[in-house]
Amino acid sequence: MQERAGAWRRVAEGAGLLGEDGRSAPTIFAEMSALAVRTGAINLGQGFPDEDGPAIVLETARRAIADGVNQYPPGRGIPELCEAIAEHQHRFYGLRPDPQRNVLVTAGATEALAATLLALVDGPDDEVVVFEPYYDAYAACVALSGARLVTVPLRPPAFAPDLDDLRAAVGDRTRLILVNDPHNPTGAVLDAATRAEIVRLAERHDALIVTDEVYEHLIFDGPHTPIATLPGAWERTVSISSAGKTFSTTGWKIGWVTGPADLVDAVLAVKQFLTYAGGAPFQPAIAAGLRLPDAFFTGIADTLRAKRDLLADGLRDAGFAVSPAAGSYFTLADAAGLGARDAADFCRALPERVGVVAIPLTAFVTAAHRRDYATLVRFAACKRVEVIAEAARRLRALA
């Protein structure tokens, strides 16, 4: 087969998906989800819920479709949603973004991330600092932007960064510090000292901060603290979030960017040539969701906490060593006690062995560091209670 040149190679290589034969391999999520379908296994791999979101959100979308909200929305997002996002940032975090200048609606958080990196990275001499393990799209988008990926390790069991490692990673070539809090895939939440040090280093080296906060309402102990709320941070921070995880609407792909007008305008300059706009009838629906009472937001965290605990108990009973998640959909478990030596091999065999699908943590790290996470496995707790209970029952057969 003829080898095709192009940026796709850079993206595939950055994501660890470029094979020795020069072809791009499927992501681990595609592979494992296909394995779940083929074997009939319970899919605790990919992070999507198996329950619909709030009735008012779904009904608002249906009504919008019936009322003809089916054409291009404004490129920045419909005013109602932009206003609801601004209200949300003030209500929960005390920020006061202008809905017309400091808010941009995107096709999910992944587009927001890609548009931000493409907008703000200036060339191959730029570096983007990320915490490793990382959501796999980070490495792919950094590679597409042409920048160099620099990683700061998160080591078990706490998966908190060593501040000396962070200081060593951030330098004068650092263009962006990319922060995911709460963190996928580890479920960790940054502490105050780490957040403050990120801001201090960004100021010292004149770097920008990009935060991925899609799990902002799924923290189990205490409220979320956005980095943008710290002194001196707003002026250099692009904050990204989305509706998918909060409202169980991952297929709608409604995300947003908030930040100072000059940075949001830069992201818009790129985003308008990616999707321009999307999700017209879903935008008023998410606006309705963002205006739900506080009880909804505390309720979804309480519900997921109970699911996390149910899953963790089942994993321990099965013989895994569990790292309790502080937030997000995910729980990490070490399969070394079950004889695993390679998490990818273990996960590929798991559906046939016990009928459960999970994701190896090695899919979220650079090749040089895979040995450091060789036996760790990510499980998703964002499923119905009865599904998690059945998965736990099946997993106990490993013991």
Side-chain angles (χ1 to χ4, degrees):
M1 186 181 77
Q2 182 178 356
E3 185 174 297
R4 300 293 183 182
W8 73 270
R9 294 181 60 84
R10 198 164 67 237
V11 172
E13 185 173 18
L17 299 177
L18 190 65
E20 293 181 0
D21 61 358
R23 297 185 181 185
S24 178
T27 69
I28 194 70
F29 307 106
E31 180 185 353
M32 292 300 172
S33 291
L35 195 56
V37 172
R38 182 173 65 79
T39 62
I42 294 173
N43 190 351
L44 299 187
Q46 198 163 1
F48 58 85
D50 59 359
E51 297 177 277
D52 284 332
I56 189 173
V57 172
L58 305 180
E59 181 53 38
T60 302
R62 283 190 286 264
R63 188 167 60 248
I65 293 170
D67 290 346
V69 185
N70 300 303
Q71 309 309 323
Y72 292 128
R76 280 188 177 268
I78 66 166
E80 181 183 6
L81 179 53
C82 292
E83 290 164 6
I85 292 167
E87 292 167 8
H88 170 275
Q89 296 301 89
H90 180 244
R91 170 185 170 190
F92 287 100
Y93 310 127
L95 297 167
R96 294 183 178 274
D98 182 332
Q100 297 180 358
R101 301 178 64 247
N102 304 127
V103 177
L104 172 64
V105 177
T106 60
T110 302
E111 189 205 31
L113 171 71
T116 299
L117 288 170
L118 292 172
L120 300 177
V121 166
D122 200 32
D125 291 334
D126 286 348
E127 295 179 346
V128 177
V129 173
V130 304
F131 295 103
E132 184 180 24
Y134 46 75
Y135 176 50
D136 63 340
Y138 295 173
C141 290
V142 170
L144 182 61
S145 76
R148 177 172 173 259
L149 185 75
V150 177
T151 65
V152 177
L154 301 176
R155 297 186 176 92
F159 295 100
D162 183 290
L163 295 188
D164 287 337
D165 289 340
L166 178 59
R167 294 179 193 114
V170 179
D172 290 340
R173 288 191 173 182
T174 302
R175 180 66 173 164
L176 303 173
I177 304 173
L178 176 54
V179 180
N180 180 204
D181 185 33
H183 187 259
N184 173 17
T186 69
V189 171
L190 294 180
D191 61 20
T194 302
R195 291 192 296 268
E197 186 64 6
I198 290 167
V199 176
R200 189 190 71 80
L201 290 168
E203 290 177 332
R204 178 181 177 183
H205 296 284
D206 194 26
L208 300 173
I209 303 168
V210 178
T211 65
D212 175 351
E213 304 176 40
V214 299
Y215 297 101
E216 61 186 315
H217 290 295
L218 298 174
I219 292 182
F220 306 132
D221 298 298
H224 174 56
T225 302
I227 284 180
T229 63
L230 273 60
W234 167 264
E235 295 79 7
R236 62 178 66 250
T237 301
V238 174
S239 301
I240 294 170
S241 193
S242 76
K245 307 303 191 294
T246 299
F247 302 111
S248 298
T249 54
T250 59
W252 288 10
K253 301 300 292 180
I254 301 295
W256 51 84
V257 166
T258 57
D262 61 326
L263 294 181
V264 172
D265 287 347
V267 177
L268 173 61
V270 172
K271 180 261 187 303
Q272 65 191 348
F273 297 112
L274 296 176
T275 60
Y276 174 64
F282 302 135
Q283 292 194 28
I286 298 307
L290 290 171
R291 289 167 170 152
L292 285 168
D294 289 358
F296 166 77
F297 296 94
T298 57
I300 59 173
D302 291 344
T303 297
L304 189 59
R305 183 191 300 108
K307 293 179 178 181
R308 173 205 65 177
D309 292 345
L310 177 63
L311 174 60
D313 287 345
L315 291 169
R316 291 188 188 95
D317 290 345
F320 291 91
V322 178
S323 298
S328 86
Y329 280 171
F330 305 110
T331 291
L332 289 186
D334 192 341
L338 292 166
R341 296 293 175 264
D342 181 281
D345 290 343
F346 178 84
C347 288
R348 290 186 175 104
L350 196 61
E352 295 284 1
R353 290 178 67 186
V354 297
V356 176
V357 164
I359 299 289
L361 195 65
T362 47
F364 302 90
V365 301
T366 54
H369 296 141
R370 285 177 185 161
R371 185 176 300 177
D372 298 334
Y373 307 94
T375 58
L376 296 177
V377 179
R378 191 193 78 170
F379 292 86
C382 53
K383 310 298 180 179
R384 299 189 312 277
V385 168
E386 59 268 29
V387 172
I388 296 173
E390 173 59 19
R393 185 193 67 79
R394 295 183 186 188
L395 287 164
R396 288 189 186 99
L398 295 169

